[in-house]
């Protein structure tokens, strides 16, 4: 029997972004088969398309997704066919020292960032017989996937798939940046620069913990209007406002400055936004070789801190169901983060939505 082929959104270093038919092999030991129901288009996919994060091999893009378990390989115990799952793009190895210490987001044994399954292979084969690799160990812009068990996090069936998809990356990263990475407390002040899917989730997290004031900065008036509805008390136009000068003048500096763009130029301005003892939180991801500079005397003299934030310092199996419950309890207004839905064949247009900051998060439905 010839393998079943499905369309996939592939970025090939030679031929760029295109649709390609791929087959997916069945789950092996410790692996889970997934039927994807919704996948968000995150800037971390665009970083690959734009060449910020070069790849030497063809990748099925997509790493922010939710779906249904259709099969399990030997040894899998945490999910079974029919379960609804959110996919975690940083599948922890559960064996390294960081995992043992409960810091799955710092796992040193994961193969996800090498764009392979844990055993170094891929489950995808192109129609020409050549391997195609899963971006961040997932490759969710297609309809059938094989993922490691630690990447499939069971969530309640009443959770809409579009919300589940965004829980796979932007929401967990943004809310986690506030709650886990920074540990913001009620009444502390914060500025969020960049209010796309990730930055809006930071704003939502700040409201959840009772931060005040919360200043949102973006270039898009549409996004800033959403930020207001999510709890921003002030909004600033990043193109025309000197944000650091505003923070010092109006507030004497803020306790936290979150960057959710991935712009070295913006990141360099964060420490100047801070009050003494404040922290800059780097959530946006830059090109892999980016560097930046700060006034080092000011940093030491004023006791300012710079915090890196991978995946919102989250443990997927703990934090994703927690956020799903908060949404279902009406505590997180996640519906408004779900923007336009497009079929997989419109992936190119979905990337244009992201580039032009149109709407909120675009969802692809295989
Ligand atoms: N730390 C992590 O684990 C993690 C996880 C997911 C995404 N990311 C990264 O977070 C970043 C944001 O992702 P996203 O999907 O929300 O992207 P996005 O493109 O949806 O949002 C970026 C926002 O920044 C705004 N912006 C751009 N330049 C600006 C400027 N100079 N001043 C103010 N605003 C500006 C844009 O208008 C846009 O609204 C990306 O770099 C992505 O790779 C990091
Ligand atoms: Zn992402
Ligand atoms: Zn690990």
């Amino acid at each position: 029997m010839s393998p079943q082929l499905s369309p996939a959104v592939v970025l090939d270093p030679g031929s760029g972004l295109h649709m390609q038919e791929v087959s997916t092999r069945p789950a092996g030991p410790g692996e889970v088969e997934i039927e994807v129901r919704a996948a968000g288009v995150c800037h971390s996919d665009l970083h690959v398309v734009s060449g910020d994060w070069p790849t030497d091999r063809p990748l099925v893009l997509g790493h922010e997704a939710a779906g249904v378990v259709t099969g399990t390989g030997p040894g899998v115990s945490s999910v079974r066919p029919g379960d609804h799952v959110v996919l975690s793009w940083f599948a922890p190895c559960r064996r390294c020292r960081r995992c043992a210490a409960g810091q799955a987001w710092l796992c040193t044994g994961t193969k996800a960032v090498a764009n392979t399954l844990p055993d170094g292979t891929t489950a995808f084969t192109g129609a020409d017989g050549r391997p195609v690799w899963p971006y961040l160990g997932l490759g969710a812009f297609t309809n059938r996937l094989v993922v490691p068990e630690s990447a499939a996090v069971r969530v309640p069936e009443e959770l809409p798939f579009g919300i589940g998809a965004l829980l796979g990356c932007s929401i967990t990263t943004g809310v986690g940046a506030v709650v886990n990475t920074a540990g913001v407390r009620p009444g502390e002040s914060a500025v969020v620069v960049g209010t796309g899917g990730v930055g809006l989730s930071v704003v939502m997290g700040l409201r959840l913990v009772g931060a005040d004031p919360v200043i949102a900065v973006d270039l898009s008036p549409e996004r800033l209007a959403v930020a207001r509805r999510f709890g921003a008390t002030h909004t600033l136009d990043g193109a025309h406002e000197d944000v650091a000068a505003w923070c010092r003048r109006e507030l004497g500096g803020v306790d936290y400055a979150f960057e959710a763009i991935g712009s070295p130029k913006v990141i360099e301005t964060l420490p100047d936004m801070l009050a003494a003892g404040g922290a800059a939180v780097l959530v946006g991801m830059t090109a892999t070789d980016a560097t930046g500079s700060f006034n080092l005397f000011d940093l030491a003299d004023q006791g300012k801190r710079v915090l890196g934030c991978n995946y919102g310092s989250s443990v997927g199996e703990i934090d994703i169901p927690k956020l799903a419950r908060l949404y279902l309890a009406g505590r997180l207004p996640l519906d408004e983060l779900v923007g336009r839905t497009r079929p997989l064949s419109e992936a190119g247009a979905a990337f244009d939505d992201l580039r032009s900051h149109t709407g909120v998060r675009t969802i692809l439905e295989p």
Side-chain angles (χ1 to χ4, degrees), residues 69-118:
V69 174
T70 52
T72 55
V76 170
S77 58
S78 60
V79 290
R80 45 179 190 205
D83 282 350
H84 290 202
V85 290
V86 165
L87 302 181
S88 157
W89 56 258
F90 198 69
C93 76
R94 294 178 170 162
R95 284 190 299 274
C96 73
R97 287 171 64 88
R98 292 298 190 182
C99 282
Q103 297 174 310
W105 67 94
L106 298 176
C107 173
T108 54
T110 185
K111 289 287 195 308
V113 284
N115 303 320
T116 77
L117 291 171

Side-chain angles (χ1 to χ4, degrees), residues 332-363:
L332 286 173
L334 303 181
D335 293 302
E336 243 207 287
L337 207 53
V338 179
R340 183 164 183 181
T341 298
R342 292 179 179 274
L344 214 51
S345 57
E346 292 181 9
F351 281 116
D352 289 340
D353 295 344
L354 197 60
R355 283 190 196 95
S356 61
H357 318 305
T358 303
V360 275
R361 202 60 143 194
T362 300
I363 301 278

